Amino acid sequence: MKRLLVLGVLATQLFTAASAQEKTSPEEIKEKMQWFADAKLGIFIHWGIYSVNGIDESWSFHNKKISYPDYMRQLKGFTASNYDPQAWADLIKESGARYAVMTTKHHDGVALWDSKYSKLNVAKSTPAKRDVLTPFFAALRRDSIKCGAYFSLIDWSYPDYPQFLKDSNRYDIKAQPERWKKFLGFYEGQMAEVMNKFNPDLWWFDGDWEHSAEEWEAPKMRKMLTDHNPNTIINGRLQGYGDYDTPEQNFPVTRPHFHWWELCMTINNNWGWQPQDTNWKTPYEIITIFADAVANGGNLLLDIGPRADGSIPDEEVHLLKELGAWNKRNGEAIFNTIGGIPQGHFYGPTTLSKDSTTLYLFLASKTSGPIMVKGLSNKIESITVLGNNTPLSHKIVGKISWSPVPGLVYIDVPEQVQDKYVTVLKVKLDKAVKLYRGKGGFLTNE
Ligand code: GLC
C-alpha cells in the first residue's frame, strides 16, 4: 500500500514535470502519447561488448566480478560479423511489436555509434569498425516501427564521472564541481549526437538513481530533446522528468496508477546474451504476461540479447515468432484497445475496444468447462472466438427480475476452438460496458 502511494505520487510528478517543461495542455500530452498507448508491445535490445564474454552488462566490472581491463578487452571481440539490421527489424515486425528500444550506450560507456566525443565506441575501438545504430534505425523506419534509444546517464568509464566500482568513487561532486561540469559537457554532447543522428521517437534513459534531477540537469535535457522533437516520448528514468513509468522485471499485482506505463522484461534472466542462462520463458508465459500488462493499461517491452556477431539466439527468434503468430490471431484484442474491466468480474485479463462496446476476455489456461463473467449489466449481442470466428452461446444464471444484480454469464468454450496458448473471446455488447459492483442483497434498491 505504501509503495502504491509512493507510485501514485510519482505518477503525479511525472505529469507535472512533463506539462511544466513543455507548457503543453493535457490534451496535447495525451495526443503525443497516443501511439505509445496503442502500441502495447515493444522489443528491447541489449547489445554491447558484454556479449563477447557473455557477462552482465556493465555491472560485471562495477560489481567486481571481472576487472575493468578484462571487461574492456571484450572490445576486441565485438565483430558484428553476422549483423543483419534489416533481419532484426523484420523479426521485430513479425513479433507484432510497434516499437523497438536499442541500447545506444550502457553504463560501461561504450557507444554503439561513431561518437566524436570519445574513442570508446564500436566504430573506433572494435573489429565491427562501424556505427551499428544507423542501419538499424533506418531498417526499423522502413518497417514503420517506432525507434527508441536506450541511453545510460551513468558512464562508469568516463574519467570525470564520479562513480566507478561499487566501492570506489573517483571524487565528490561538491568538492570538485568543475570535474562534474566536464562530465556534463560530455554527456550532453553525446545525447545531442544521438538526438541529431537518430531523432528518436522515444528516449529510454537509465541509471538516473546515481544523481539528482538538478545534478543531471534533467529539465535542460528534457527541453533540449523536446525542442528538437516535440513529439518525442521520454521514459520515467530522468528523475521525475519523464512521461511514463517503467516497472522492471516484476509484474505489478494490482493495476498501476500511472496513466502510461511499460513493463520491461527479459526473455531469460538477463538483459544481454549469456550462454549459461537457459531459463527461457515460454511463449505461453510471455503471452500471459503480455495480456496481463495490456489488460492493466500498460505495455510490454520485451528484451532480447544478440550475440557479439549480431546473431540472435534461436530461442529468442522462436519466441518472437510465436508471439507474432499469436498476435496475428488475437491482436484485435490487444492493439489499439484500452485496459479492461476491474479485477473481480472475470478470472483473467480483459481489454476493451476504445468505445468500450466490445469486451475481450483472455482465457489464460485451457478450460474444459464454461467460463463465467460477473456483474455485467449489458445485453450481450454476440460472442466469438478470435482467430477462428466461432460463434459461442451463453447462458445467464441467477438473474431475478426485480433485482439490479445482472446475474452470471456462463460461456461454454469447446476445447477444439481454443488457442494453442491463450484463447480470446470477443464479447459484443449492446452499448458501452456497464458494470454492477454492488453486493446484491434482498429486496434492496441498489
Ligand atoms: C537496470 C540495469 C540495466 C538494464 C536496465 C534495463 O536498470 O541497470 O543493466 O539495462 O535495468 O531495464
Side-chain angles (χ1 to χ4, degrees), residues 422-433:
V422 172
T423 306
V424 183
L425 304 188
K426 173 178 182 176
V427 182
K428 275 193 78 68
L429 308 172
D430 56 342
K431 47 184 186 273
V433 68

Side-chain angles (χ1 to χ4, degrees), residues 9 17 25 31 54 74-75 91 99 106 171-172 183 230 274 297 398 427:
V9 171
S25 66
E31 200 187 313
Q74 294 180 102
L75 286 164
L91 177 65
Y99 64 109
H106 205 264
Y171 67 97
D172 176 30
F183 168 74
Q274 298 207 18
V427 182

Side-chain angles (χ1 to χ4, degrees), residues 30-70:
K30 197 166 171 265
E31 200 187 313
K32 177 182 102 163
M33 296 301 290
Q34 199 56 51
W35 74 257
F36 179 80
D38 291 339
K40 313 299 184 190
L41 181 64
I43 301 299
F44 209 175
I45 302 156
H46 274 71
W47 197 31
I49 63 165
Y50 37 86
S51 58
V52 172
N53 289 6
I55 51 175
D56 296 346
E57 68 290 343
S58 314
W59 291 98
S60 49
F61 75 80
H62 180 78
N63 290 330
K64 298 164 75 168
K65 284 192 191 165
I66 180 173
S67 71
Y68 182 72
D70 281 347

Side-chain angles (χ1 to χ4, degrees), residues 44 46 57 59 106-107 150 204 206-207 209 237 248 264 271:
F44 209 175
H46 274 71
E57 68 290 343
W59 291 98
H106 205 264
H107 314 330
Y150 168 106
W204 215 99
D206 196 19
W209 58 83
R237 298 189 185 183
E248 177 168 331
C264 54
W271 297 104

Side-chain angles (χ1 to χ4, degrees), residues 58-59 62 107 154-158 161 163-164 170 210:
S58 314
W59 291 98
H62 180 78
H107 314 330
I154 293 174
D155 189 323
W156 289 323
S157 282
Y158 193 74
Y161 184 77
Q163 282 80 8
F164 180 36
R170 297 185 176 96
E210 285 196 349

Side-chain angles (χ1 to χ4, degrees), residues 14-15 17-18 21-22 29 32-33 35-36 148-149 151 153 191 195 200-206 208 218-246 260 262:
L14 293 177
F15 292 125
Q21 284 313 301
E22 289 153 44
I29 296 173
K32 177 182 102 163
M33 296 301 290
W35 74 257
F36 179 80
F151 185 94
L153 304 175
M191 203 187 291
M195 175 181 88
D201 300 300
L202 184 149
W203 285 85
W204 215 99
F205 290 117
D206 196 19
D208 65 343
K220 181 176 156 197
M221 290 299 93
R222 182 175 173 99
K223 188 169 180 321
M224 173 176 92
L225 303 178
T226 53
D227 279 356
H228 181 79
N229 175 0
N231 290 320
T232 200
I233 291 177
I234 299 174
N235 78 335
R237 298 189 185 183
L238 191 58
Q239 290 288 17
Y241 286 83
D243 298 311
Y244 72 90
D245 203 66
T246 58
W260 297 286
E262 169 201 70

